[in-house]
Amino acid sequence: NIQPAFFAANLAHEIYMNKATAKNNNETLSRSALRRQREREERYQTILKAAEKLCVKEGYHQTSINKIADLAEVSVGTVYFYFKNKEDLLAQLLDEISYLFRSRIGAEFQNADSTLEGFMNAGKMFFEEFCQKYPEKVAIMYRESIGQSQLLDEHRLKLNEKVLKDIIGAMQRMSENMGFKFPSETAIEVIAVSIMGIYQSIASHYLVSNEMNRDIKEVGEVAVNYLVGGVRDMCGIK
């Protein structure tokens, strides 16, 4: 039996534990301490957003801590209070984008009860909502964080590994739910890797590079239909 190890369960547990910890901590904090905590969290997010905008607009190497501090309307010392350096800042930004990415895309597999419909909806969610709603985050994922440093490569690798497991888990659940079998475990892994590669390539080509004036929704629909058609053909699904 396939264990329900789909990432949503892990995310739900993580959220529950974070809320429980926050609740316990808040019970022992004064009102003034809670206010300071909220202010620190707001400054943290403000700095991240400023870094995101600047990295996408000017590029990672042209973005300085001074520029980030200026856009965030905080001192340079404040930025260094939260982050060791620019590399650490982008790594933490990438982690936040990773969490958002996985929570949005993965939810579609759950909502559609592990069917091909869910498979298609997850793809549509990526192109029609995530790419259009968060183009700057897509640029960070697929352009600004690539090849910049070993630390950033490690964070991107962790994201890719988690997304790969998400897709493989969803496909296994879909296979069990719909009563068909993939030729092998290798076939499932190859399809999952292909999905990641195709989505990244399309997002980079049609959205991040801005070289093609095409409707990303239409492009995404073609890509999703192509992938779903391949799964149908491989598994003999009518």
Side-chain angles (χ1 to χ4, degrees):
N1 294 331
I2 298 175
Q3 298 296 323
F6 192 62
F7 82 94
N10 291 332
L11 289 177
H13 176 70
E14 180 179 338
I15 292 172
Y16 171 80
M17 293 301 294
N18 287 342
K19 286 184 176 179
T21 300
K23 181 179 180 181
N24 290 334
N25 290 339
N26 289 344
E27 289 176 351
T28 62
L29 293 175
S30 65
R31 288 182 181 274
S32 61
L34 288 172
R35 176 179 55 78
R36 289 194 296 272
Q37 180 176 302
R38 286 194 301 269
E39 290 173 348
R40 285 194 295 269
E41 291 172 355
E42 289 172 0
R43 282 195 293 271
Y44 175 82
Q45 291 299 326
T46 298
I47 294 169
L48 284 181
K49 290 178 182 178
E52 181 180 286
K53 289 181 179 180
L54 285 170
C55 283
V56 172
K57 182 180 179 180
E58 302 184 6
Y60 174 74
H61 291 292
Q62 297 302 318
T63 298
S64 66
I65 293 294
N66 285 350
K67 290 181 179 180
I68 294 172
D70 182 62
L71 184 59
E73 297 182 343
V74 299
S75 68
V76 172
T78 298
V79 177
Y80 281 114
F81 174 80
Y82 290 96
F83 307 98
K84 295 178 181 179
N85 47 41
K86 185 175 66 173
E87 181 187 40
D88 177 47
L89 200 166
L90 188 59
Q92 292 191 46
L93 175 59
L94 189 60
D95 288 343
E96 290 221 346
I97 294 173
S98 168
Y99 183 87
L100 175 65
F101 177 83
R102 295 179 66 224
S103 63
R104 291 297 180 88
I105 307 304
E108 291 303 316
F109 285 108
Q110 294 285 48
N111 293 339
D113 195 26
S114 301
T115 63
L116 277 174
E117 179 184 357
F119 194 78
M120 296 178 69
N121 287 343
K124 290 179 180 179
M125 171 70 77
F126 174 72
F127 291 108
E128 296 178 14
E129 180 174 324
F130 195 85
C131 286
Q132 294 191 83
K133 189 174 182 180
Y134 306 107
E136 292 176 335
K137 299 185 187 303
V138 173
I140 293 294
M141 289 173 63
Y142 298 140
R143 187 184 68 197
E144 296 306 321
S145 63
I146 296 178
Q148 304 291 6
S149 70
Q150 182 177 348
L151 175 64
L152 294 177
D153 287 342
E154 289 173 354
H155 280 254
R156 290 189 71 258
L157 178 61
K158 289 180 181 179
L159 167 59
N160 290 338
E161 290 176 345
K162 290 177 180 178
V163 173
L164 182 63
K165 290 181 180 179
D166 292 344
I167 298 174
I168 290 175
M171 293 175 67
Q172 290 174 331
R173 287 158 56 88
M174 181 176 67
S175 171
E176 183 180 65
N177 187 61
M178 295 182 64
F180 69 88
K181 292 184 178 181
F182 287 94
S184 65
E185 290 295 322
T186 299
I188 297 177
E189 183 176 320
V190 170
I191 292 173
V193 172
S194 298
I195 290 172
M196 291 174 58
I198 289 173
Y199 285 8
Q200 177 175 338
S201 296
I202 289 177
S204 298
H205 185 70
Y206 289 100
L207 189 67
V208 176
S209 67
N210 293 319
E211 294 181 358
M212 301 292 289
N213 185 21
R214 296 288 181 85
D215 180 3
I216 193 65
K217 181 178 179 180
E218 179 184 357
V219 170
E221 184 176 353
V222 173
V224 171
N225 287 337
Y226 170 75
L227 290 166
V228 171
V231 173
R232 286 183 182 274
D233 183 64
M234 176 180 287
C235 301
I237 304 172
K238 297 182 179 180

